[in-house]
Amino acid sequence: MAEQICLFTKDTIIIKPSKKSPALLRMTVLVFAMAFGVYICSICLKQSNFSISSKFLNNEIIERTHCDYSIDRSQIPYVHYPNPKTFSRVECACNPVRLFAIVSMQRSGSGWFETLLNSHINVSSNGEIFSVKERRNNVSSILMTLDRVYNLDWFTSASKNQCSAAIGFKWMLNQGLMEHHKEIVEYFNDRGVSIIFLFRRNLLRRMVSDLANSYDRYAKLLNGRHKSHVHSHEEANTLSTYKPAINLTSLVEDLKLMDKTVLEALEYFSSTRHFIIYYEDLMKNRTVSCLFNFMKNLGIILVTYRIR
Ligand SMILES: *[C@@H]1O[C@H](CO)[C@@H](O)[C@H](O)[C@H]1NC(C)=O
Ligand SMILES: *[C@@H]1O[C@H](CO)[C@@H](O)[C@H](O)[C@H]1NC(C)=O
Ligand SMILES: *[C@@H]1O[C@H](CO)[C@@H](O)[C@H](O)[C@H]1NC(C)=O
Ligand SMILES: *[C@@H]1O[C@H](CO)[C@@H](O)[C@H](O)[C@H]1NC(C)=O
């Protein structure tokens, strides 16, 4: 050890140009120190500039750094800390939010299913927001609408408070979802949106329900009011007095087409995080076991979702 130190001092002595010019050496050291100081300063400045601009670029990331999140790491792609433009999440700013979409077809039990989801105080499902044509005219209006919904800036009767833990809506296959599937899949994967596919196994029943619902749109059997969903046995009995006529010539083709559409949807969105449920299964098992598992995966601490 001592030897090495000695060698080192010897070396430095050798490197020294001359013992006679200590002023030159001092100058060199000073210049070097100044240059180094300037360099350090410039790095500091760059970093503070960066943090200022990124604050505007990505509020969500900044928000996250303030939050002490002790969630499962595998869940990180799926939790969000939105920063709504229209209100402040105040004390719930650090509550993670899960994003979902219920993908379904008309007359498949999705209205009922959505009511069930919305019975949780911290879950908001905003209905068929893409039933309005302007919102699904083109990809940009679809993505803009999605951004608003998932940023908690979309207001419907289902909107909850700043403490929402899961936010989503209902999307029917014929509402622009299939036409723009590429961009939507990309969006869902980027943002970690989970899909709940809800379909009906019995497509003939779905068809009958669809025909009856179309008929009631103008017939308005319930005291002159059209109802897509009934809330009592009496209402159900009244609506069921109508017996739709099924076109037997096209029946098989129609059913095949429906089946094909469902399979296509499952294929298009296979790369997303998704979960498939069938209305009939929900009805059969009244403890909604699959829903429980799904919601557990979503990370929502559940109150009991129990079907009466
Ligand atoms: C809803 O969110 C609030 C705020 O995070 C929380 O205190 C409450 O326990 C949640 N309710 C349920 C039923 O999960
Ligand atoms: C997309 O649709 C919206 C709403 O209908 C419209 O205002 C907008 O100009 C359209 N954008 C493009 C790129 O076509
Ligand atoms: C039944 O479907 C066939 C084939 O699509 C069509 O040509 C025919 O007009 C339909 N009949 C009725 C009564 O709608
Ligand atoms: C319903 O689901 C629960 C929970 O998974 C299960 O224990 C039960 O056996 C199921 N009941 C029926 C009738 O399938």
Side-chain angles (χ1 to χ4, degrees):
M1 206 49 155
E3 241 177 42
Q4 271 175 5
I5 291 169
C6 286
L7 273 174
F8 182 68
T9 45
K10 253 187 211 164
D11 282 348
T12 49
I13 290 165
I14 292 162
I15 288 164
K16 266 186 188 175
S18 149
K19 266 190 173 178
K20 281 172 202 161
S21 57
L24 182 68
L25 181 70
R26 272 187 209 141
M27 263 317 264
T28 317
V29 170
L30 185 69
V31 167
F32 182 72
M34 273 170 68
F36 195 66
V38 168
Y39 174 69
I40 296 272
C41 262
S42 73
I43 286 181
C44 287
L45 278 174
K46 247 187 226 166
Q47 270 183 350
S48 61
N49 273 348
F50 172 74
S51 69
I52 288 165
S53 58
S54 70
K55 205 173 273 179
F56 295 108
L57 281 178
N58 199 340
N59 282 325
E60 199 171 294
I61 286 172
I62 298 291
E63 201 65 60
R64 261 178 207 227
T65 60
H66 292 162
C67 299
D68 164 34
Y69 54 107
S70 50
I71 49 163
D72 178 357
R73 292 201 128 260
S74 68
Q75 292 288 308
I76 289 176
Y78 306 110
V79 299
H80 298 268
Y81 299 86
N83 209 344
K85 292 195 182 89
T86 42
F87 66 96
S88 164
R89 296 189 75 214
V90 286
E91 77 271 19
C92 286
C94 287
N95 281 20
V97 177
R98 265 82 173 173
L99 316 180
F100 69 89
I102 304 165
V103 170
S104 188
M105 284 169 117
Q106 282 83 0
R107 317 311 298 172
S108 300
S110 63
W112 171 87
F113 180 69
E114 194 174 47
T115 307
L116 176 74
L117 287 187
N118 276 326
S119 68
H120 191 293
I121 186 164
N122 297 337
V123 179
S124 311
S125 190
N126 290 288
E128 288 177 43
I129 57 172
F130 286 109
S131 62
V132 178
K133 265 214 179 94
E134 293 83 63
R135 294 176 194 157
R136 56 177 150 100
N137 257 354
N138 50 50
V139 171
S140 49
S141 50
I142 289 180
L143 298 186
M144 217 170 66
T145 306
L146 290 177
D147 274 344
R148 265 183 68 194
V149 172
Y150 291 135
N151 203 39
L152 305 180
D153 283 322
W154 193 270
F155 294 103
T156 64
S157 57
S159 309
K160 297 282 162 61
N161 47 38
Q162 62 269 27
C163 297
S164 289
I167 180 98
F169 65 97
K170 216 163 62 152
W171 205 341
M172 298 300 168
L173 295 186
N174 60 357
Q175 292 172 346
L177 186 75
M178 302 293 274
E179 290 90 325
H180 304 291
H181 64 91
K182 277 205 191 95
E183 293 87 348
I184 296 166
V185 165
E186 206 173 290
Y187 182 96
F188 279 11
N189 284 336
D190 275 359
R191 299 224 39 190
V193 178
S194 308
I195 296 185
I196 307 171
F197 286 108
L198 175 63
F199 293 122
R200 202 160 167 170
R201 288 187 199 278
N202 192 328
L203 294 175
L204 179 60
R205 285 191 174 208
R206 195 196 86 81
M207 180 190 270
V208 171
S209 177
D210 203 19
L211 290 170
N213 188 48
S214 302
Y215 170 77
D216 193 62
R217 226 177 277 275
Y218 69 90
K220 299 185 171 65
L221 295 177
L222 292 170
N223 306 320
R225 285 189 60 211
H226 168 55
K227 276 199 178 176
S228 293
H229 306 105
V230 293
H231 296 102
S232 69
H233 286 293
E234 292 71 35
E235 288 181 347
N237 287 338
T238 308
L239 287 193
S240 66
T241 54
Y242 171 67
K243 307 292 176 204
I246 286 177
N247 185 338
L248 289 179
T249 322
S250 61
L251 177 64
V252 172
E253 277 310 306
D254 290 346
L255 291 178
K256 270 189 188 161
L257 186 69
M258 268 185 232
D259 201 33
K260 189 167 154 270
T261 311
V262 169
L263 290 177
E264 243 168 39
L266 292 176
E267 198 185 309
Y268 286 162
F269 292 91
S270 60
S271 70
T272 62
R273 188 193 200 213
H274 64 268
F275 184 83
I276 307 170
I277 24 182
Y278 290 96
Y279 171 74
E280 284 87 347
D281 298 345
L282 279 181
M283 288 292 122
K284 219 182 282 166
N285 193 341
R286 303 203 155 234
T287 59
V288 218
S289 55
C290 53
L291 239 190
F292 268 107
N293 287 335
F294 179 73
M295 299 308 271
K296 235 190 257 164
N297 286 341
L298 273 181
I300 299 166
I301 311 305
L302 270 191
V303 286
T304 39
Y305 270 128
R306 211 170 271 283
I307 303 170
R308 271 170 290 160

